[in-house]
Amino acid sequence: QVQLVESGGGSVQAGGSLRLSCAVFGYSYVYYCMGWFRQVPGKEREGVAFIDSNVGTSYADSVKGRFTISQDNAKNTLYLQMNSLKPEDTAMYYCAADPRTIACDQKEYLYWGQGTQVTVSS
């Protein structure tokens, strides 16, 4: 079975940076979509950044210019570089992957990681 494992979360002051990583285990095929989502208690999971294997990258308006999604296919790893962090970025961050031809900003990904907590203080 495919497993996604996030790392790199932690606590940082506003204006700081973090780099999240998502290692994919049990990799057996190319994923059409890879993405990062975040969620805070009592709210819906929110799409943050995505890679469509054909179209390229896309971002939520709230993180454009601050976050960068990338992948190293040889290492089966997805990254999220987060700069100029704000308290509103505080959330549990999840990586996800899907080999199907879905809309990559949708929430119905096939595979999900366990999440890594990001906390941004003022």
Side-chain angles (χ1 to χ4, degrees), residues 32-33 52 98-106 108-110:
Y32 187 86
C33 299
D52 181 303
D98 203 307
R100 304 170 297 178
T101 55
I102 63 170
C104 295
D105 59 348
Q106 299 300 304
E108 295 79 14
Y109 277 58
L110 189 61

Side-chain angles (χ1 to χ4, degrees), residues 56-90:
T57 61
S58 61
Y59 299 89
D61 288 341
S62 60
V63 306
K64 286 181 179 177
R66 299 189 297 119
F67 290 11
T68 302
I69 186 172
S70 62
Q71 63 180 337
D72 186 337
N73 222 11
K75 296 181 178 179
N76 297 325
T77 302
L78 182 72
Y79 303 98
L80 184 67
Q81 179 67 46
M82 304 185 294
N83 298 326
S84 301
L85 282 162
K86 304 175 180 179
E88 66 188 79
D89 295 318
T90 295

Side-chain angles (χ1 to χ4, degrees), residues 35-56:
W36 288 95
F37 296 78
R38 65 188 182 188
Q39 189 172 28
V40 298
K43 293 184 178 294
E44 288 287 309
R45 188 170 295 179
E46 173 191 18
V48 175
F50 311 95
I51 300 177
D52 181 303
S53 62
N54 294 123
V55 176

